[in-house]
Amino acid sequence: MKVYHSALKYLFLVFLIGFMYYLIYLIPISINYDDTFFIDYQNKDYFDQSASDHIEELIAQFLITDSLDKDINTHMLEELIISSVYVDKAEVYLNLRGELNIDVDFRQPFLSLLRDDRLLYFDDDGLILPPLSDANRSFLVLSGDFNNDKVKEVLTLINQIYNHSLLNKLIGGVHYKEENGYTLSAKTCDLGINIGVNPLIEKNQIDVIDVFYDFLLLRLNCNYCQSINITYDQQIICIK
């Protein structure tokens, strides 16, 4: 009997929480809105003025259509802002003076993709970004048979390269061909490094890259190999 009552209490609590969320989500929050709002942009450096103009136009149009008796549904406004191709996060709230404040975090470029002689930029969720006004930072460049879904598959590999001191210093791009898999493009000596079809660099492969580069730069020269294949265990195949 005690177990039965405990289960009923738990179900009632779940229902109560769900109902409260329903009310909070759907019922507009009454605010003292005087046709002004304040926006704080974060991470906007890569986009020109048209990006913020686009966000402000969305907000203004929403406030015109949603503002009935000065009641604003802040949750719906947040969702509208986040739906923009520029925006990663958004928060809408009132300050202590009852003024409408909006915090907007812009999506940030994470990698670039060479497609049809155009350089496209993607964020770390694999979403394509609008044109950038300032892309001076050196992002990893993808090339080859990358469609948008394939870009998302390679994000783990890109993170691995960025976060590893040797790879981040050495690797400038990733090339993909269905028949050959992934080939890393080294900045030094313009060397191709084939790692196979798995978009991940194993520890033993990193060790091979490290040892080979030391040997290549000290004992050989950049013309010795055009590319190397390290997909085989304990072997380096040099392709001239």
Side-chain angles (χ1 to χ4, degrees):
M1 183 64 68
K2 290 183 179 180
V3 174
Y4 176 75
H5 284 298
S6 297
L8 284 179
K9 290 180 180 178
Y10 175 77
L11 290 174
F12 176 75
L13 180 61
V14 171
F15 171 79
L16 183 61
I17 293 173
F19 182 70
M20 290 177 64
Y21 177 80
Y22 172 82
L23 291 178
I24 291 173
Y25 184 80
L26 289 184
I27 297 178
I29 298 174
S30 180
I31 66 171
N32 182 17
Y33 173 62
D34 60 357
D35 296 327
T36 60
F37 52 87
F38 303 94
I39 306 179
D40 182 19
Y41 292 112
Q42 299 293 323
N43 304 319
K44 184 183 173 294
D45 295 342
Y46 290 107
F47 300 98
D48 59 24
Q49 184 61 37
S50 64
S52 54
D53 290 344
H54 170 73
I55 302 302
E56 290 165 24
E57 182 179 352
L58 285 177
I59 295 169
Q61 289 297 322
F62 177 87
L63 295 177
I64 290 172
T65 57
D66 192 62
S67 181
L68 180 62
D69 297 327
K70 303 305 182 183
D71 287 344
I72 305 298
N73 190 320
T74 58
H75 302 287
M76 288 183 64
L77 180 54
E78 283 181 1
E79 287 194 349
L80 177 64
I81 297 170
I82 293 173
S83 70
S84 169
V85 293
Y86 299 102
V87 177
D88 182 30
K89 299 176 184 176
E91 182 180 3
V92 180
Y93 62 95
L94 302 177
N95 63 20
L96 295 177
R97 295 184 295 275
E99 298 167 331
L100 184 63
N101 284 252
I102 303 168
D103 292 342
V104 177
D105 285 1
F106 278 79
R107 293 188 177 276
Q108 294 297 284
F110 181 69
L111 58 88
S112 53
L113 169 63
L114 187 61
R115 178 185 290 167
D116 298 329
D117 296 326
R118 294 176 56 215
L119 201 58
L120 306 177
Y121 290 90
F122 290 75
D123 72 353
D124 57 3
D125 289 324
L127 298 177
I128 191 169
L129 297 175
L132 305 184
S133 61
D134 181 11
N136 292 328
R137 179 183 159 186
S138 179
F139 299 101
L140 280 170
V141 179
L142 305 185
S143 60
D145 300 332
F146 277 104
N147 55 33
N148 290 4
D149 290 335
K150 203 66 183 178
V151 169
K152 293 181 180 180
E153 289 182 15
V154 82
L155 292 176
T156 300
L157 174 61
I158 302 302
N159 268 305
Q160 185 182 18
I161 293 172
Y162 279 146
N163 294 328
H164 191 281
S165 57
L166 171 66
L167 298 177
N168 189 35
K169 180 180 178 181
L170 182 63
I171 305 303
V174 179
H175 187 77
Y176 175 77
K177 283 291 185 182
E178 187 173 353
E179 60 271 22
N180 299 323
Y182 295 93
T183 299
L184 310 180
S185 177
K187 301 172 186 177
T188 304
C189 294
D190 194 26
L191 183 74
I193 305 170
N194 183 259
I195 61 172
V197 296
N198 186 22
L200 188 69
I201 312 174
E202 304 291 345
K203 183 183 181 306
N204 65 308
Q205 291 179 319
I206 296 176
D207 293 339
V208 167
I209 293 171
D210 192 11
V211 171
F212 179 80
Y213 251 94
D214 283 343
F215 184 76
L216 177 67
L217 296 177
L218 290 176
R219 303 291 182 87
L220 304 173
N221 59 67
C222 287
N223 296 324
Y224 186 78
C225 285
Q226 182 180 1
S227 64
I228 59 173
N229 187 324
I230 58 173
T231 59
Y232 302 99
D233 190 31
Q234 304 297 323
Q235 293 185 55
I236 302 176
I237 299 176
C238 177
I239 303 171
K240 296 187 176 182

